[in-house]
């Protein structure tokens, strides 16, 4: 419930901010929201704006939604090992030291997030620390550090922004065409209930197709992060970690955290999955 409320409040705040920005831009440039230029501006502001705001808020959202504890002063041997391991890997990968955190969850998982290579967070679950040996946990950390070093968070944001913009733009244009066809000259285009209805329908339909594109990119980046981990700690450790994940609990991560986690939930259709099958990832490391 905490995650749901936080998600809704955050998205309402983002929509309000973007709505105000859009209103100002429309007034300054004197653009009608019913013209192609106006529709493109709406699509761009909400498409890219939402993605980049989410990126810049990603660390804060991740900490709040998972209840992650950031290790500032290690309190025990495990925390010392986590911080030292991430520090060594970050130095080898050529990035600034990420924040290191632990979140309470029975699943064996971890995720990386943050707005840039030099402003990131690497978090591991309590379940991973309990059920993986040190070599396997080291490989998982290397996988997350590789996501950061590869700039995957920023690139995924750009891809998400592009597809969001196209979805919104095409949906609104098609909704206007359908609305004009249905209502003819009875109502001014873009103002009837049929326009809003078809706008929502088209956004949902094209949004589903867009999610396939984003998921495909995410799966490709998983292979790259696995290869990066193999470079940092050795392919055998990474394969061992992936083998261990076959006994995992279903993932509780959501959104971008799932996209940059080590494992995703099971039973999701492969086209929409952010992660490739574990066996494919293991074979790719051989």
């Amino acid at each position: 419930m905490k995650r749901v409320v936080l998600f809704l409040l955050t998205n309402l705040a983002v929509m309000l901010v973007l709505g105000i920005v859009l209103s100002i831009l429309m007034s300054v440039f004197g653009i009608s929201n019913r013209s192609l230029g106006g529709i493109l501006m709406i699509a761009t502001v909400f498409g890219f704006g939402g993605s980049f705001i989410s990126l810049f808020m990603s660390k804060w959202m991740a900490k709040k939604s998972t209840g992650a504890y950031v290790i500032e002063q290690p309190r025990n041997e495990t925390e010392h090992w986590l911080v030292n391991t991430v520090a060594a890997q970050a130095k080898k990968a050529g990035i600034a030291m990420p924040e290191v955190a632990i979140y309470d969850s029975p699943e064996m998982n971890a995720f990386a997030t943050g707005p840039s290579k030099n402003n990131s967070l690497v978090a591991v679950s309590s379940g991973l620390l309990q059920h993986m040996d040190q070599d396997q946990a080291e490989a998982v950390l290397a996988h997350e550090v590789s996501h950061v070093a590869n700039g995957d968070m920023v690139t995924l944001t750009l891809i998400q922004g592009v597809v969001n913009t196209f979805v919104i733009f095409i949906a609104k244009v098609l909704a206007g065409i359908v609305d004009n066809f249905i209502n003819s000259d009875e109502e001014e285009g873009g103002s009837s209930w049929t326009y809003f209805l078809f706008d929502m329908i088209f956004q949902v339909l094209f949004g589903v197709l867009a999610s396939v594109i984003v998921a495909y990119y995410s799966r490709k980046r998983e292979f790259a992060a696995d290869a990066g981990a193999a470079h940092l700690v050795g392919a055998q450790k990474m394969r061992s970690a992936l083998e261990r994940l076959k006994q995992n609990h279903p993932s509780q991560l959501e959104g971008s955290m799932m996209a940059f986690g080590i494992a995703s939930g099971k039973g999701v259709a492969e086209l929409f999955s952010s992660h490739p099958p574990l066996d494919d990832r293991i074979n790719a490391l051989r």
Side-chain angles (χ1 to χ4, degrees), residues 14 39 42 50 53 61 86 129 172 211 225 231 264 270 275 280:
V14 169
I39 293 173
I42 292 171
I53 289 175
M61 282 289 293
V86 172
L129 296 175
K172 288 186 178 300
S211 67
H231 173 72
S264 61
E270 188 172 344
H275 288 57
D280 289 355

Side-chain angles (χ1 to χ4, degrees), residues 108-129:
M108 292 179 287
N109 215 337
F111 65 85
T113 191
S116 72
K117 294 182 180 181
N118 297 320
N119 182 13
S120 62
L121 169 73
V122 172
V124 297
S125 69
S126 56
L128 181 141
L129 296 175

Side-chain angles (χ1 to χ4, degrees), residues 45-279:
V45 169
F46 281 97
F48 276 99
S51 295
F52 276 98
I53 289 175
S54 296
L55 176 67
F56 288 117
M57 294 178 63
S58 59
K59 282 174 64 175
W60 179 81
M61 282 289 293
K63 294 172 189 177
K64 291 295 184 182
S65 63
T66 63
Y69 160 70
V70 177
I71 304 172
E72 296 179 353
Q73 292 293 330
R75 302 170 299 181
N76 52 51
E77 185 178 342
T78 298
E79 292 185 2
H80 273 287
W81 178 83
L82 279 173
V83 171
N84 292 337
T85 300
V86 172
Q89 292 176 354
K91 183 177 181 180
K92 189 173 181 179
I95 61 173
M97 174 65 180
E99 290 185 79
V100 182
I102 301 172
Y103 65 99
D104 186 29
S105 175
E107 64 175 329
M108 292 179 287
N109 215 337
F111 65 85
T113 191
S116 72
K117 294 182 180 181
N118 297 320
N119 182 13
S120 62
L121 169 73
V122 172
V124 297
S125 69
S126 56
L128 181 141
L129 296 175
Q130 292 165 7
H131 300 297
M132 280 192 172
D133 64 34
Q134 197 168 87
D135 284 347
Q136 293 166 343
E138 182 185 6
V140 171
L141 291 171
H143 175 97
E144 302 308 331
V145 168
S146 294
H147 270 310
V148 177
N150 293 339
D152 289 339
M153 284 78 77
V154 174
T155 309
L156 184 66
T157 297
L158 289 171
I159 291 174
Q160 188 72 64
V162 169
V163 298
N164 285 350
T165 299
F166 272 99
V167 166
I168 295 170
F169 180 76
I170 295 172
K172 288 186 178 300
V173 169
L174 291 179
I177 293 172
V178 173
D179 179 58
N180 288 334
F181 178 78
I182 293 175
N183 295 304
S184 187
D185 296 328
E186 294 178 15
E187 297 181 70
E188 188 175 358
S191 61
S192 71
W193 67 268
T194 53
Y195 173 83
F196 293 107
L197 174 62
F198 281 100
D199 183 22
M200 287 188 291
I201 291 173
F202 285 131
Q203 286 203 40
V204 170
L205 291 176
F206 290 123
V208 171
L209 295 176
S211 67
V212 174
I213 297 173
V214 177
Y216 172 79
Y217 168 78
S218 179
R219 292 195 297 273
K220 290 295 184 184
R221 300 320 300 159
E222 284 306 304
F223 287 117
D226 287 345
H231 173 72
L232 290 174
V233 301
Q236 179 54 44
K237 290 182 180 180
M238 192 65 232
R239 285 197 300 268
S240 177
L242 293 173
E243 289 284 359
R244 186 70 183 91
L245 286 174
K246 290 183 179 181
Q247 289 79 48
N248 203 9
H249 291 268
S251 177
Q252 297 177 9
L253 296 180
E254 300 166 353
S256 62
M257 290 182 292
M258 177 178 282
F260 298 116
I262 184 67
S264 61
K266 298 177 182 178
V268 182
E270 188 172 344
L271 277 177
F272 298 94
S273 176
S274 61
H275 288 57
L278 288 170
D279 286 334

